[in-house]
Amino acid sequence: MYLTQCVHKGVRQCPQAVAVVGQGLRWTFAQFQDRVARLAGALQGLGMQAGDRVGMLAQNGVRSVEFFQGTWWGGGVVNPVNTRWSAREIAYSLDDCDTRILLVDAHFAALAATLPGLSASLQTLVYCGEGPAPTGMLSYEALLAAAPAVPDALRQGDDLAAVMYTGGTTGQPKGVMLSQANFYTGTLSGIAASPRRPGGVGLVVSPLFHVAGCALSLQLMRRLFPQVILPAFEEVQVLQTLQDEGVTELFLVPTMVKRLIEHPRFADFDRSSLRNISYGAAPIDATLLSQAMAAFPGVQFSQSYGMTELSPTVSTVGPDEHLPGPDQARWLRSAGRAVPIAELRIVDPEDRELPTGQIGEICARGPMVMQGYWNKPAETAEALRGGWLHTGDSGYLDEEGYLYVVDRIKDMIVSGGENVYSAEVENVLARLPQVSMCAVIGVPDARWGERVHAVIVLRPGAVLDEAHIAAHCRAFIAGYKCPRSVEFRTELPLSAAGKLLKFNLREPYWAGHSRRVG
């Protein structure tokens, strides 16, 4: 099981077919393989040894796909850098896994120039943007032009493929170690769970430093589909690309779905080529999903649940389960059933398996589970105890094996001795037509230990007060679950992958407290 296999297959089966598109470039599989082999030679010439980490700090682009395959071809390990981090956070990740070579594009060249003064590991900056390389950086295209096309190192199986840093939603980021086999089996499982007709064209708009974007790119290359790469999510550019490139499939997080279908120019573009939309990485409320399915009639929808540690998917809700029928509502409330290579179980705090319907921690087992956290043996042992990946999410399984995610365990609020799961409150708040986005957190309360606190973003021009919110919530959920305080904001903090950063919302309230629960 080696991740460069798809490049070899593309050259043998369809060398003149388009492999990657973006930034005004369009490379066939033959061209792509040649560039990948020469990038591998260039990296080896810069000192990359088998298993060495190579980083990339760049917006999405065709060279991002080339970075993954070229590093693997040369025997290295990728460390795709989160583009929304500060220079010090980036330097931390480089030093944490001893990344000595960093590729950087024009968008981040100025930021990258500060990194040598912050990172003890970084030795070489390679400029992969357009135009001449800035001072202190080597030219990517010049290196490729001068490098030999080296043989594939054929790293495979348990050989490390990537160190992908978690978003840091609960503190200091951890480097998730994913092997060649992790990605390979995860890719095949995703393909098996969501079959596609031949002749597809994929659009990659999720950040490639995030495991969801990376997994989609790998699936498209495994299918030998052309993949169109956009630098970032921008509604008009996505819609224009759907029309111009005849895109048949894409992956979106719920915030992207919402922005796309609510854009005033949504109806101006031809979307008839689109066959499949996958969504995930964050919960989606039923109202938004219904609106999306109405906005894309005839398009098959599928949902994925997983995380970086699972390479990335462990369960799916397939297209058939999105179709109207007596079980549709129940299936769409779930996170689906385990993908072909995975097992799921629910455990209590003592790791005892719980019966059907009881809420506990979601655990997963299978060949897609990470090797561990880089240089963090204690955290690795805790996460992988008993041979199962402990996700940190709470949920339950029904009698048919459908998984229902209730919340992040740390998002559970204990108010007056009662457990409140924030996702339940958020789903009720999302029913209010004035609410654009919302988050529910626990904040300190002298009487209750913690109180339920809602942070709400209103739609433009909407008006809403706390009394109306309270009355609305009481109509759907128990009084102790209703928000006892409300805060209105213009936006919520989101990670580059579109996940809500609740840690950022909690931090001001819990500052100065010795513990973060009441």
Side-chain angles (χ1 to χ4, degrees), residues 478-497:
Y480 71 84
K481 297 180 181 179
C482 296
R484 295 179 181 272
S485 55
V486 178
E487 174 185 356
F488 295 97
R489 292 195 181 192
T490 57
E491 61 182 10
L492 296 180
L494 301 175
S495 75

Side-chain angles (χ1 to χ4, degrees), residues 366-379:
M368 73 292 167
V369 172
M370 68 168 182
Q371 293 182 325
Y373 297 115
W374 182 273
N375 203 29
K376 288 181 168 53
E379 288 90 336

Side-chain angles (χ1 to χ4, degrees), residues 43 48 51-58 64 67-68 71-72 76-83 85 89-104 115 119 121-122 160-166 173-178 183 208-210 214 374:
L43 293 173
M48 182 185 74
D52 283 354
R53 277 68 60 202
V54 178
M56 187 172 199
L57 174 62
S64 305
F67 155 70
F68 282 93
T71 303
W72 293 330
V77 174
V78 297
N79 172 16
V81 177
N82 188 323
T83 60
W85 281 351
E89 289 170 315
I90 293 168
Y92 167 82
S93 71
L94 299 178
D95 289 346
D96 185 56
C97 66
D98 192 26
T99 300
R100 302 178 187 183
I101 302 171
L102 180 67
L103 281 55
V104 58
L115 294 175
S119 168
S121 298
L122 184 59
L160 187 62
V163 181
M164 303 192 81
Y165 282 82
T166 58
K174 299 187 292 286
V176 177
M177 298 189 293
L178 299 177
F183 268 133
L208 283 163
F209 64 77
H210 183 264
C214 178
W374 182 273

Side-chain angles (χ1 to χ4, degrees), residues 407 410-415 420-423 425-426 429 438-445 449-456 480-487 489 492-493 500-510 516-517:
D407 208 345
K410 60 181 161 293
D411 286 347
M412 186 179 74
I413 304 160
V414 182
S415 184
V420 180
Y421 293 96
S422 62
V425 187
E426 287 161 355
L429 290 171
C438 64
V440 170
I441 59 174
V443 299
D445 188 276
E450 289 179 275
R451 71 175 183 273
V452 180
H453 179 76
V455 185
I456 293 175
Y480 71 84
K481 297 180 181 179
C482 296
R484 295 179 181 272
S485 55
V486 178
E487 174 185 356
R489 292 195 181 192
L492 296 180
L500 178 64
L501 299 174
K502 285 193 175 179
F503 176 79
N504 291 6
L505 294 176
R506 291 191 193 95
E507 183 63 28
Y509 292 97
W510 291 98
R516 298 301 174 102
V517 294

